[in-house]
Amino acid sequence: MTNQQEDASTTPRPRATVARIYDYLLGGKQNFEADRRAAQDILNKVPAAANLALSNRLFLRRAVQTLAEAGMRQFLDLGSGIPTQGNVHEIAQAVDPEIRVLYVDIDPVAVMASNQILHGNLACRAIEADFTQPDRILDALADSDAVSIIDLDEPLVVLYCSVLQLIPDDQIDGIIAPIRDLLVPGSAMVISHVGVDVPDRWGESTVNQATDVYRTQAATDIYFRTDEQLTALFGDFEMTEPGLVPLDRWRPELSEPDPFVAASMRSPMRGAVAFRH
Ligand SMILES: C[S@@+](CC[C@H](N)C(=O)[O-])C[C@H]1O[C@@H](n2cnc3c(N)ncnc32)[C@H](O)[C@@H]1O
């Protein structure tokens, strides 16, 4: 074996991450070879995976616009991802340039890319933190970096878009409730999530192969949830119209068409926006 071969075999390669796989599925450029390989493996099993990501982004855009127009002035985006077109602050600040947004992600690439595009935007910032540790998130909100952006005494929008399917059932309440339950009246939550009917749609074995890619290449499992389980995540919050629905059914007139409308089948993801009264 030559030295070169030895070097290549011992140099650690970056692992794929959910943020960068998702970036690739959306046509972004902030991804590495390992992410592209994992994303391609997923697309080989479930070609609609790219449409799932797009459908989710379009829902997020419509939800943020609706909430900004309803008067919400601060947004906490947990598991915010790598910036792409139609980021939360772009949609919200088009309604009111003073709207404040704090992005939180565990992936340093996502945080760095977010802070690059937020440069000079004093109302918005991205921080690296783990939303599965709500105490740490609450500590981070009190930090000097974030305290000028998020005020927990005022109504706040908390977004969990396409992130909670990474969390096992026995942990999810302990992750969501500590933040949800201290939000003041007038606050809102946005959740989008892969629905439980996904294995029926594309076949259980095909979907298992796709989720295996996440497990083996990005070290995460994917959990599908029923509408009943998703409704429970909102606690005492009350859903606005049209409730918890396939994403393509949530106020579709507010964005470009969801890809699943053309595909003649509903989006396999569910989403809802809910308020605390
Ligand atoms: C599928 S992407 C969704 C991005 C964005 N929310 C959206 O809807 O377009 C999931 C994001 O959650 C982030 N994430 C996963 N686990 C996390 C954790 N424990 N804490 C913070 N971010 C996390 C990933 O890094 C990734 O950026």
Side-chain angles (χ1 to χ4, degrees):
M1 188 184 276
T2 66
N3 283 344
Q4 233 176 355
Q5 282 170 320
E6 276 171 8
D7 284 345
S9 64
T10 52
T11 304
R13 294 182 177 189
R15 263 204 106 114
T17 70
V18 173
R20 301 191 309 255
I21 292 173
Y22 183 72
D23 177 64
Y24 180 82
L25 292 174
L26 286 170
K29 300 268 179 273
Q30 307 270 8
N31 44 72
F32 303 133
E33 177 55 30
D35 309 304
R36 295 189 281 277
R37 199 172 39 241
Q40 277 304 338
D41 286 352
I42 292 164
L43 286 167
N44 288 341
K45 305 297 172 208
V46 179
N51 279 345
L52 272 178
L54 176 60
S55 173
N56 177 62
R57 275 316 288 187
L58 293 172
F59 163 75
L60 174 117
R61 173 187 295 228
R62 299 192 299 270
V64 169
Q65 183 180 332
T66 300
L67 288 163
E69 287 174 350
M72 303 305 295
R73 287 298 168 265
Q74 49 173 358
F75 291 73
L76 175 62
D77 188 358
L78 295 173
S80 48
I82 289 167
T84 177
Q85 287 199 357
N87 296 300
V88 171
H89 72 282
E90 288 160 350
I91 305 296
Q93 290 188 334
V95 177
D96 177 349
E98 295 197 352
I99 288 179
R100 303 176 323 271
V101 180
L102 186 69
Y103 293 111
V104 176
D105 206 283
I106 203 167
D107 190 313
V109 172
V111 175
M112 198 174 66
S114 301
N115 279 324
Q116 271 164 5
I117 63 163
L118 292 172
H119 185 69
N121 190 334
L122 299 181
C124 305
R125 192 154 310 152
I127 60 169
E128 189 178 325
D130 180 350
F131 74 71
T132 67
Q133 300 190 310
D135 290 352
R136 294 271 181 88
I137 297 291
L138 292 172
D139 286 348
L141 295 185
D143 261 15
S144 56
D145 260 5
V147 80
S148 61
I149 297 178
I150 299 296
D151 178 355
L152 287 173
D153 293 330
E154 297 289 328
L156 171 67
V157 178
V158 177
L159 297 127
Y160 287 105
C161 284
S162 196
V163 292
L164 295 176
Q165 62 250 11
L166 306 172
I167 308 297
D169 287 344
D170 60 351
Q171 293 174 25
I172 197 154
D173 276 338
I175 287 169
I176 292 193
I179 293 179
R180 180 193 66 208
D181 292 349
L182 59 73
L183 297 179
V184 300
S187 295
M189 277 177 68
V190 180
I191 294 178
S192 64
H193 196 290
V194 182
V196 77
D197 49 351
V198 164
D200 292 342
R201 174 109 33 127
W202 288 302
E204 197 159 341
S205 125
T206 304
V207 169
N208 283 344
Q209 288 170 39
T211 54
D212 275 351
V213 176
Y214 278 105
R215 184 176 310 117
T216 55
Q217 298 188 42
T220 186
D221 276 301
I222 305 284
Y223 300 88
F224 303 109
R225 291 196 166 87
T226 62
D227 286 0
E228 200 182 357
Q229 288 173 306
L230 294 178
T231 300
L233 300 180
F234 287 97
D236 65 354
F237 282 50
E238 197 175 305
M239 288 183 202
T240 58
E241 285 299 319
L244 179 71
V245 289
L247 296 188
D248 56 292
R249 293 294 167 110
W250 203 92
R251 308 196 186 186
E253 67 284 359
L254 295 178
S255 74
E256 64 183 82
D258 182 286
F260 288 98
V261 171
S264 77
M265 56 172 169
R266 302 263 169 83
S267 171
M269 289 186 71
R270 299 282 197 278
V273 173
F275 280 93
R276 165 160 282 148
H277 293 297

